[in-house]
Amino acid sequence: MKESSSPLPCSVAFETNTGLMPQATAHYQKRLSDLRGLFLDPAALELRIRAEGDPVCYENFAFNQNQAEGDIFFGTTIIYPGKVGSEYHLTRGHYHRKRDHAETYQALSGHRLVLFEREDGTTCTAELAPGKVTYVAPFWAHRSVNTSDVPLVFLWTCPVEAGHDYEGLGGRGMRQVVVERNGVPNVEDRPRS
Amino acid sequence: MKESSSPLPCSVAFETNTGLMPQATAHYQKRLSDLRGLFLDPAALELRIRAEGDPVCYENFAFNQNQAEGDIFFGTTIIYPGKVGSEYHLTRGHYHRKRDHAETYQALSGHRLVLFEREDGTTCTAELAPGKVTYVAPFWAHRSVNTSDVPLVFLWTCPVEAGHDYEGLGGRGMRQVVVERNGVPNVEDRPRS
């Protein structure tokens, strides 16, 4: 039998409403200042960073640091509610470094959406909602957006070797943006700068 | 960009209490007669097959028929409550054909357990419970057992190329069995035949 540096079989608790995962092997937070260059309105971003002491936009817990092909890691992402100008809080968004690697999302709390984009420019969206598994298909970049006024908490499950390519989106994120129009979320093409 | 036969990104609904997945791309049922050779008490099994018209022991819904490396498929398994003699209803149990491939389980309804076993004879168990992700580590065969009196429903997520090897367990299932003793479930070593 080959040796493995994977954890032993186990059951890993997560809190549905907060995303807290006490047995996580990794954790990071992204504050608004970490997300410069991504939002449509840089002036609104700087204003919030100064006025609110650079709040956390989203955070991430993960279980399993093993890097061997065939293994899986999983975790929670929590996107706190808020807007930068009219644009809702979001994750950075990425392609997988191995483009042909898939992922799944499962909303635990909150009911929002994922933006998808392929390298040929095709876009689509899918809802993140409790009671649904969101299939993050191979070759599609993905970014999650919280359009609600409560934290959006979701589980993700991914092959460990998928990897993250944040540069494939040209640094700015996705072609589409989610902004508030007349009090409701709207998916629009990013304005040409 | 490489072509892919994966589904497009989407959100796939499942019913927490029944495991029903209307958008499933595959579905199967295992009746008691499909599980001959696995239970400790073959006479009790035949009696139930005759008396109850060969009831369904468990069933499975899956989404994504793509077979390309790096892709993920997921689905639900529902183990109906019941015992064969003193032994609780179970899934067949398998190694992954690619031994180094992992999987995750997530109980939606019910609160039971997974038996694990490695080729070197090591065994362990983990609970299946809502609010926990059960990590099915590489190299460990796995079988789920419903020790409750309601259906056990769980989500599973797995690399598509992991594959199933049912023969690695020698046809009989796992080294450990879960039986009722004095009204409560007990994990025991399988008696030598």
Side-chain angles (χ1 to χ4, degrees):
Chain A
M1 198 183 65
K2 271 168 61 181
E3 285 301 313
S4 169
S5 57
S6 305
L8 293 174
C10 59
S11 292
V12 178
F14 58 84
E15 290 184 14
T16 297
N17 292 321
T18 65
L20 186 67
M21 190 176 268
Q23 292 162 261
T25 55
H27 172 235
Y28 68 78
Q29 295 183 317
K30 293 291 181 190
R31 297 181 178 273
L32 287 184
S33 65
D34 297 315
L35 304 174
R36 284 187 173 111
L38 295 182
F39 288 101
L40 290 172
D41 188 340
L45 181 69
E46 296 305 323
L47 198 63
R48 283 197 57 207
I49 290 172
R50 284 196 304 277
E52 299 173 35
D54 197 10
V56 173
C57 181
Y58 66 96
E59 60 188 307
N60 191 287
F61 294 92
F63 180 82
N64 191 6
Q65 300 295 94
N66 188 34
Q67 293 297 309
E69 186 179 326
D71 207 347
I72 276 181
F73 71 147
F74 58 88
T76 52
T77 296
I78 308 99
I79 309 177
Y80 295 99
K83 293 197 298 290
V84 171
S86 59
E87 190 177 12
Y88 296 96
H89 278 186
L90 45 73
T91 58
R92 179 175 287 275
H94 60 269
Y95 284 102
H96 288 151
R97 188 169 40 73
K98 291 192 173 178
R99 290 289 195 274
D100 58 359
H101 278 49
E103 185 168 357
T104 60
Y105 286 166
Q106 190 196 336
L108 299 173
S109 177
H111 181 142
R112 303 309 156 199
L113 64 91
V114 187
L115 298 176
F116 292 99
E117 174 175 324
R118 284 201 307 197
E119 288 179 327
D120 67 1
T122 316
T123 60
C124 69
T125 65
E127 64 174 335
L128 267 175
K132 295 189 174 183
V133 176
T134 300
Y135 172 64
V136 179
F139 300 105
W140 290 83
H142 38 288
R143 155 179 280 178
S144 304
V145 182
N146 183 1
T147 58
S148 79
D149 53 9
V150 296
L152 170 64
V153 182
F154 60 94
L155 270 175
W156 49 266
T157 307
C158 189
V160 295
E161 77 272 23
H164 298 88
D165 172 5
Y166 293 104
E167 304 312 311
L169 292 169
R172 47 118 180 95
M174 319 282 289
R175 290 164 195 266
Q176 292 191 306
V177 294
V178 189
V179 293
E180 186 185 68
R181 299 290 182 207
N182 302 315
V184 296
N186 198 44
V187 180
E188 303 177 359
D189 287 343
R190 179 182 299 277
R192 292 173 187 276
S193 58
Chain B
M1 197 183 64
K2 272 168 59 181
E3 285 301 313
S4 169
S5 57
S6 304
L8 292 175
C10 58
S11 292
V12 178
F14 58 84
E15 290 183 14
T16 297
N17 292 321
T18 64
L20 186 67
M21 190 177 267
Q23 291 161 261
T25 55
H27 172 236
Y28 67 77
Q29 294 183 319
K30 292 291 179 191
R31 297 180 179 274
L32 288 183
S33 64
D34 297 316
L35 304 174
R36 283 186 173 112
L38 296 182
F39 289 100
L40 290 171
D41 187 340
L45 182 70
E46 296 305 323
L47 199 62
R48 284 198 55 205
I49 291 171
R50 285 198 303 277
E52 300 173 35
D54 196 10
V56 174
C57 182
Y58 65 97
E59 60 187 307
N60 191 287
F61 294 92
F63 180 82
N64 190 7
Q65 299 296 93
N66 188 34
Q67 292 297 310
E69 186 181 326
D71 207 349
I72 276 180
F73 71 148
F74 58 89
T76 53
T77 297
I78 307 99
I79 309 178
Y80 294 100
K83 293 197 298 290
V84 173
S86 58
E87 190 178 12
Y88 296 96
H89 278 187
L90 45 73
T91 58
R92 177 174 288 275
H94 60 269
Y95 284 102
H96 288 153
R97 188 170 40 72
K98 292 192 174 179
R99 290 286 195 275
D100 59 358
H101 278 49
E103 186 167 358
T104 61
Y105 286 167
Q106 190 195 336
L108 299 172
S109 178
H111 180 145
R112 301 311 156 201
L113 63 90
V114 188
L115 298 176
F116 293 99
E117 173 175 324
R118 284 200 307 196
E119 289 179 328
D120 66 2
T122 317
T123 59
C124 68
T125 64
E127 63 173 337
L128 267 175
K132 295 188 176 185
V133 176
T134 299
Y135 172 64
V136 179
F139 301 103
W140 291 84
H142 39 286
R143 157 180 280 180
S144 304
V145 182
N146 183 1
T147 58
S148 79
D149 53 9
V150 297
L152 170 64
V153 182
F154 61 94
L155 269 174
W156 49 267
T157 307
C158 189
V160 295
E161 77 272 22
H164 298 87
D165 171 6
Y166 294 104
E167 304 312 310
L169 292 170
R172 46 116 181 97
M174 319 282 291
R175 289 165 194 266
Q176 293 191 306
V177 295
V178 189
V179 293
E180 187 184 68
R181 298 288 181 212
N182 302 315
V184 295
N186 198 45
V187 179
E188 305 177 357
D189 287 344
R190 179 182 299 277
R192 293 172 186 276
S193 57

